[in-house]
Amino acid sequence: MAEANTVHQVVVPAPAPMGKETILLSEGWQYKASDSETWSDAQPLPTSVHLDLLADGSIPDPFYGKNEELVQWVATKTWIYKKEFRVPVELLRDSGQNIGLVFEGLDTYATATLDGETILEASNMFLGHRVDITSLVANGEERVHTLQITFHNADERAGEEVKAHPEHSWFSFHFGQQRLAVRKAQYHFGWDWGPVLRDSGPWKPIYLEVYQARIVDLSIKTRLTPDNKEATLDVALDIEGKAGYARINIESEGSIVESRTIDLTSSTKSTTIRIRNPSLWWPWTLGAQNLYTARATLFASKDSTTEHDTKVKRFGIRNIELVQQPLHGQDGTSFFFRVNGVCIFATGSCWIPLDSFVTRGTSERYRRWIKLAKDTNQVMLRVWGGGIYEHDAFFDACDELGLLVWHDFMFACGIYPAYSAFEESVTTEVRQNLVRLRHHPSIALWCGNNEDYAIAYIAQMLRGVAKYDPSEMDVERIRQSGMPARLFYEIRLPELCKELIPDVPYWPGSPYGGAFCNDTTVGDIHQWHVWHLDKKPYQDYPRLSGRMVTEFGLQAIPHWKTVKQYYYTGDKSPSLDDDTDYTADDFMLYHNKAEKGPADIEKYCTDNIPFDRSLRGYMYCSQLIQSEGLGTALRGWRRLWKGEGREYCGGALVWQLNDCYPVSSWAIADCDLRPKMSYWTVKRENQPVTAGLVRNLREDGSLEVEAWACNMTLHALPVNYRVRAWNVRTGQTCWTHSVLATVELPPNQSTELWTVQLDAALGVESNWSELVFAVYLFSADEEASASDESAADRMLARHVNFHEPLKEVPFGMQENRVTAKLIEEEGRTFLELCSSVPTKGVYCDFEDDNSVEWVDNCVDIVPGEASKLYMTGLKNEPGNSVRVYWLGETSWQSQVITLA
């Protein structure tokens, strides 16, 4: 603990005359609880109470063991931060200077005082604030000022709001009703994948701005001609203070493309710029991520060389449309995105905040996560509505790496109010964040909420509350209805979007569409009939499609290394292979925040495979089933992207990409970016060219086999294909069907290849569970034979199909079933895997080497083929060993193979 005796002198260079100066107030803060007399040093801003307490050893790390319980007291207190500072005298000499104190974000209920005088009352985490303190500090003398911020108990304040509005139906299934009254990251109150850590503090930067004139905002709205050959840029400035002249440069790759000057003494503070043959911004699957820079500079007059202020924004030129139009042969309408005239199947995942403590979101961490999504061939991320309006670093990474963003407004799973004070706060919040983020070309859609319409539906059925007339559009009647937040989703938010971002589509909610919010023929759906609701088998995913599926998924526990690192504290350390039932282990249960999560993992495992409850078995089995489920869904739904007028499914977003905390969840990678097995399955199923195969048992006992291909590239693809079957017990080839004539796969759609009905002539006496099928796509070569040795080099895609449920497959329990060989070839390292019989779910792990990153893993192996799993980072040392897992008839199996 430290007493506050030091005054922190802000050292800045002498400013250019009348130029804006920014003075960061990041260092030298102290904090304490309101009922304590002792001040402690805080970390540099941005920070939070929990992180400061953790840094000085006052609390244990809440990510470990059950420490979350030991830090709940933090949120019950009021916390005070303070800092002493001086404004350098040279900045106080000019009487025409303005001095603004900027708070980019305060979490959440906060009172700020300067030298004992209250200057700000804040009540919305998502708002920034600017206070003119010119009269308080600009007296011509340099002196010490004390800035103090009191962060009040958010639960208490929220409770007061709830009591003050008994007319509202405060309803939610998720972590209490009080969260609905506070404009704060909703996941702080806990969720089914995250802890209860109701943080508070200065979560964004605080600084002074000293200026005569400043650019409040630089707006760039882009419009493209239908042929994409000319772009019109509507550039507008919002100015505070006195300036006579502005110069606007549009730059590309360091060169000025266009330049304009604006006379600010007139009423117009905007200009129109046209760019011929613009370099367009594309999603990474379609083209380059070309970015322009808009640079605006203020001057006192046209002849002046002194800059008042400069603002720079990067932007992209692109056109994004949400296409909803009639479909051939089916009810309803399509729901897909078109970018620069090109229709896309939007495959991707849902994004939650990357940490329970949002200030730990560095640019490097954001970029690693966005790259992980891109590495799995995803093209869209959906920012979920219970987190935050994401940091600029998130969007910068998406802009640069070429991922589209669906961004929910911050409402999730509840019946929110719309009384006047709440409406005013929300409207300001939305306006601020749209203005802050609107230049990012990656943003493809703004969405009103997450699942609020679904919650209203459930509330009506179960509680008889949240009733409303969906056709009612009178503002006051909506406000007085059982779902007053329709005022936001259907009126205020679309109005603001139309005003501020007319080039970006708006959608009222997720899910939303049709007479029922989860209508499979209109709008988007959340597909939770698998896992939640009626717990249908994952094999039903292809039949459970919607026009776009924006949530679906299954849980799995993370890698055992993550479990051992975080889940346990004290003397307890889990064993990997003992007889402990880890599905019932207290610490394992604690780190699954879904009420029925462990039971549901067990159900889906036992329904499908021999389930083992050891730690190693729990990891393998749960991850294999998650992997199989996601692969089944993606294959089936991409198949429904059938070309113009037949876009029966326009995208699929996995719930979820990431974790904010060490937890067993739906994520495909854990909080430390360690992939689960589903990571590689998602990567394979999202490739530009894929193949699929399904089997259907007919009433007469015969087996119908269907094969198809997806070509998501923009050019036609001439291919040959082959379908082969093996006996899973013996590895004997039972049947082969090769098509050597060229088949053309049209661009940007799926194509049905082949359907055949098989009978007992295959020699398995109708025991179809013994057959394993594989379909292969090859680049066309009509001169090749069915046994052409070059086929492997020409292979574009491959899919292996086992009978399901997998527990009915007679795998056998052969030891040393898989052979592995480490090979270095052309500077690349890969593990070559072979097996004499079809083998399911082969997963490889260098258990003693944490530096290995697998390019591919979790594969199915068939006889006569060598599966090559590429990797990076392997320390090539004598005696390297890899553990290889696979699925056996009565249990999972593994062996440790020492590599030469």
Side-chain angles (χ1 to χ4, degrees):
M1 300 295 184
E3 294 295 332
N5 296 319
T6 304
V7 174
H8 290 266
Q9 171 71 52
V10 179
V11 180
V12 297
M18 300 182 294
K20 187 182 80 172
E21 290 290 340
T22 299
I23 303 172
L24 297 177
L25 302 182
S26 302
E27 307 277 349
W29 287 85
Q30 296 187 308
Y31 78 106
K32 73 179 185 72
S34 61
D35 58 0
S36 172
E37 298 298 323
T38 305
W39 293 91
S40 299
D41 292 332
Q43 299 181 104
L45 270 55
T47 187
S48 72
V49 171
H50 281 87
L51 293 182
D52 285 330
L53 291 168
L54 183 61
D56 65 25
S58 298
I59 60 170
D61 191 326
F63 281 22
Y64 288 81
K66 298 183 180 181
N67 290 346
E68 176 191 344
E69 297 175 354
L70 304 179
V71 303
Q72 292 304 305
W73 62 271
V74 176
T76 67
K77 290 184 175 291
T78 293
W79 295 91
I80 304 172
Y81 280 74
K82 75 173 182 180
K83 173 180 173 55
E84 294 180 336
F85 66 92
R86 301 175 188 266
V87 180
V89 67
E90 59 267 25
L91 298 180
L92 302 173
R93 291 171 181 161
D94 191 332
S95 60
Q97 296 282 69
N98 301 293
I99 302 176
L101 177 56
V102 180
F103 305 87
E104 286 197 0
L106 301 172
D107 181 11
T108 290
Y109 292 100
T111 301
T113 64
L114 183 62
D115 299 332
E117 180 177 336
T118 299
I119 58 172
L120 176 66
E121 293 283 356
S123 58
N124 187 325
M125 176 182 180
F126 308 124
L127 281 182
H129 305 274
R130 174 180 291 271
V131 181
D132 186 346
I133 61 170
T134 307
S135 62
L136 300 179
V137 300
N139 59 1
E141 296 180 2
E142 183 175 314
R143 59 190 179 93
V144 176
H145 300 282
T146 301
L147 174 61
Q148 184 166 294
I149 310 171
T150 301
F151 292 94
H152 306 284
N153 183 322
D155 270 354
E156 287 184 358
R157 291 293 182 93
E160 292 168 3
E161 285 289 302
V162 170
K163 290 179 181 178
H165 294 277
E167 76 283 359
H168 179 65
S169 299
W170 302 94
F171 181 85
S172 174
F173 286 118
H174 293 80
F175 301 95
Q177 301 170 0
Q178 292 188 172
R179 68 175 179 83
L180 304 174
V182 54
R183 297 308 295 153
K184 174 178 174 63
Q186 301 287 268
Y187 82 111
H188 283 180
F189 296 84
W191 220 262
D192 52 7
W193 37 257
V196 178
L197 291 171
R198 297 185 302 279
D199 207 5
S200 62
W203 75 290
K204 286 190 173 183
I206 298 174
Y207 49 89
L208 296 172
E209 285 189 343
V210 184
Y211 58 94
Q212 277 197 348
R214 71 180 185 95
I215 302 173
V216 177
D217 183 52
L218 168 62
S219 167
I220 312 105
K221 296 177 181 177
T222 65
R223 289 173 285 133
L224 268 173
T225 56
D227 60 6
N228 293 340
K229 291 185 177 180
E230 183 173 276
T232 300
L233 311 183
D234 297 320
V235 184
L237 295 175
D238 183 6
I239 306 292
E240 179 190 345
K242 294 181 179 181
Y245 163 72
R247 183 178 63 228
I248 296 173
N249 290 340
I250 304 298
E251 303 169 5
S252 176
E253 298 181 346
S255 299
I256 296 176
V257 176
E258 293 285 345
S259 186
R260 296 288 188 277
T261 59
I262 301 176
D263 183 355
L264 300 177
T265 61
S266 67
S267 59
T268 301
K269 294 181 175 61
S270 61
T271 188
T272 298
I273 298 174
R274 287 181 171 81
I275 299 178
R276 294 184 182 276
N277 299 315
S279 299
L280 302 183
W281 184 93
W282 293 92
W284 71 271
T285 53
L286 298 179
Q289 292 70 63
N290 296 298
L291 293 171
Y292 289 83
T293 298
R295 187 182 307 274
T297 306
L298 297 185
F299 299 91
S301 66
K302 191 170 185 177
D303 298 326
S304 175
T305 59
T306 301
E307 299 179 2
H308 279 316
D309 191 14
T310 296
K311 186 173 283 290
V312 177
K313 287 189 177 181
R314 287 194 311 169
F315 68 98
I317 298 174
R318 53 89 179 103
N319 182 56
I320 292 182
E321 303 165 83
L322 176 61
V323 182
Q324 299 177 82
Q325 60 191 17
L327 293 161
H328 296 313
Q330 292 193 11
D331 294 336
T333 54
S334 65
F335 192 100
F336 65 89
F337 292 89
R338 187 159 53 208
V339 184
N340 301 333
V342 179
C343 305
I344 65 166
F345 182 91
T347 186
S349 58
C350 298
W351 170 271
I352 66 170
L354 57 66
D355 201 294
S356 291
F357 304 116
V358 291
T359 61
R360 295 203 289 208
T362 64
S363 296
E364 188 269 341
R365 283 186 72 189
Y366 274 113
R367 192 172 184 89
R368 286 182 65 198
W369 272 113
I370 305 307
K371 184 177 183 300
L372 182 145
K374 182 176 178 178
D375 287 346
T376 50
N377 296 307
Q378 299 184 42
V379 73
M380 175 173 278
L381 293 176
R382 172 178 166 248
V383 177
W384 169 73
I388 61 172
Y389 298 94
E390 271 299 349
H391 288 293
D392 294 290
F394 172 87
F395 298 98
D396 288 342
C398 290
D399 291 346
E400 293 164 7
L401 296 177
L403 274 81
L404 296 169
V405 177
W406 168 313
H407 205 307
D408 291 354
F409 287 102
M410 293 299 112
F411 302 91
C413 300
I415 305 301
Y416 286 86
Y419 50 82
S420 57
F422 196 86
E423 179 189 357
E424 181 181 356
S425 181
V426 166
T427 301
T428 306
E429 158 197 320
V430 169
R431 179 176 290 277
Q432 275 195 15
N433 284 284
L434 288 180
V435 167
R436 175 173 69 92
L437 299 172
R438 61 183 169 180
H439 61 287
H440 288 286
S442 55
I443 299 178
L445 180 139
W446 282 95
C447 175
N449 67 83
N450 172 81
E451 294 187 350
D452 289 359
Y453 286 98
I455 292 295
Y457 176 78
I458 295 170
Q460 292 166 19
M461 290 195 304
L462 299 184
R463 304 283 180 84
V465 299
K467 295 180 179 179
Y468 65 95
D469 177 358
S471 66
E472 180 61 73
M473 295 304 290
D474 178 79
V475 168
E476 288 307 315
R477 288 177 181 171
I478 291 175
R479 203 193 302 271
Q480 295 166 17
S481 73
M483 192 181 178
R486 284 185 60 234
L487 174 63
F488 302 134
Y489 312 147
E490 298 178 38
I491 298 179
R492 299 293 186 245
L493 301 186
E495 286 175 346
L496 286 165
C497 288
K498 184 177 181 180
E499 173 195 348
L500 298 170
I501 50 167
D503 60 327
V504 177
Y506 173 80
W507 189 243
S510 184
Y512 182 84
F516 172 54
C517 65
N518 216 36
D519 190 328
T520 58
T521 66
V522 180
D524 72 309
I525 68 166
H526 290 185
Q527 188 45 271
W528 289 114
H529 287 289
V530 176
W531 191 265
H532 292 309
L533 301 177
D534 35 6
K535 302 189 187 304
K536 291 181 180 292
Y538 71 74
Q539 291 86 352
D540 286 355
Y541 267 137
R543 296 187 290 275
L544 297 173
S545 179
R547 297 304 179 220
M548 181 170 178
V549 185
T550 46
E551 281 191 20
F552 71 100
L554 301 95
Q555 276 196 353
I557 74 167
H559 193 280
W560 60 259
K561 292 180 181 179
T562 300
V563 171
K564 293 191 75 169
Q565 179 179 351
Y566 290 107
Y567 282 29
Y568 297 85
T569 53
D571 296 332
K572 184 165 184 178
S573 179
S575 173
L576 290 175
D577 300 305
D578 65 10
D579 295 330
T580 300
D581 180 358
Y582 280 92
T583 67
D585 178 83
D586 200 28
F587 286 89
M588 292 293 294
L589 293 172
Y590 192 82
H591 279 261
N592 189 323
K593 298 302 183 179
E595 182 180 358
K596 298 179 181 179
D600 288 339
I601 291 177
E602 185 168 353
K603 170 189 166 45
Y604 276 90
C605 285
T606 56
D607 283 354
N608 287 283
I609 58 175
F611 182 45
D612 176 54
R613 293 169 172 81
S614 69
L615 180 54
R616 200 189 295 276
Y618 195 11
M619 178 201 76
Y620 177 79
C621 292
S622 67
Q623 290 194 16
L624 177 64
I625 292 304
Q626 181 192 45
S627 173
E628 289 295 297
L630 298 187
T632 299
L634 291 171
R635 268 193 311 279
W637 295 338
R638 278 166 58 107
R639 185 183 185 184
L640 299 177
W641 182 255
K642 290 181 175 292
E644 185 176 357
R646 299 189 301 155
E647 302 93 348
Y648 303 123
C649 180
L653 306 181
V654 173
W655 183 267
Q656 62 211 66
L657 177 69
N658 61 316
D659 279 331
C660 66
Y661 163 86
V663 69
S664 302
S665 80
W666 296 266
I668 66 171
D670 66 31
C671 63
D672 287 339
L673 292 97
R674 184 177 282 121
K676 299 177 186 176
M677 291 161 65
S678 58
Y679 165 96
W680 293 286
T681 299
V682 168
K683 180 178 183 176
R684 278 193 297 275
E685 297 301 338
N686 283 340
Q687 287 177 335
V689 180
T690 57
L693 184 147
V694 293
R695 59 175 80 191
N696 303 302
L697 186 62
R698 299 170 62 92
E699 290 184 1
D700 62 3
S702 64
L703 190 71
E704 183 180 73
V705 179
E706 302 172 1
W708 69 92
C710 293
N711 173 21
M712 299 303 194
T713 72
L714 299 185
H715 57 271
L717 199 61
V719 300
N720 311 133
Y721 69 90
R722 178 187 304 155
V723 180
R724 180 170 286 175
W726 298 265
N727 185 289
V728 74
R729 291 182 183 275
T730 66
Q732 178 183 354
T733 300
C734 301
W735 177 76
T736 298
H737 172 75
S738 296
V739 176
L740 301 181
T742 297
V743 176
E744 184 169 279
L745 302 182
N748 201 13
Q749 68 173 71
S750 70
T751 299
E752 298 299 310
L753 292 177
W754 170 81
T755 300
V756 69
Q757 188 172 332
L758 305 177
D759 57 27
L762 288 182
V764 292
E765 297 179 352
S766 299
N767 186 6
W768 302 114
S769 64
E770 293 187 6
L771 281 191
V772 175
F773 292 90
V775 56
Y776 302 84
L777 288 183
F778 304 98
S779 58
D781 184 350
E782 294 189 4
E783 297 181 1
S785 66
S787 59
D788 183 8
E789 294 182 359
S790 70
D793 295 331
R794 296 187 294 112
M795 191 164 67
L796 300 171
R798 159 191 183 271
H799 172 63
V800 179
N801 174 279
F802 288 78
H803 168 83
E804 293 189 273
L806 292 166
K807 66 182 179 182
E808 296 177 359
V809 178
F811 284 110
M813 294 291 287
Q814 298 98 324
E815 293 184 5
N816 303 321
R817 184 180 187 127
V818 179
T819 62
K821 182 180 180 181
L822 190 66
I823 297 177
E824 295 278 349
E825 185 177 273
E826 296 179 353
R828 302 180 70 186
T829 303
F830 62 89
L831 198 64
E832 185 178 81
L833 303 176
C834 297
S835 178
S836 60
V837 292
T839 305
K840 181 69 188 176
V842 179
Y843 170 64
C844 301
D845 187 14
F846 284 96
E847 297 184 322
D848 298 326
D849 190 343
N850 291 320
S851 63
V852 175
E853 293 187 6
W854 293 92
V855 177
D856 198 7
N857 207 333
C858 187
V859 295
D860 299 335
I861 301 177
V862 292
E865 293 181 22
S867 292
K868 295 181 179 181
L869 304 188
Y870 288 93
M871 71 195 80
T872 61
L874 178 66
K875 300 172 184 175
N876 199 351
E877 299 173 349
N880 267 349
S881 63
V882 61
R883 182 177 291 272
V884 181
Y885 299 76
W886 66 89
L887 186 64
E889 184 170 351
T890 60
S891 179
W892 64 279
Q893 293 181 262
S894 76
Q895 67 187 82
V896 177
I897 301 175
T898 300
L899 303 172

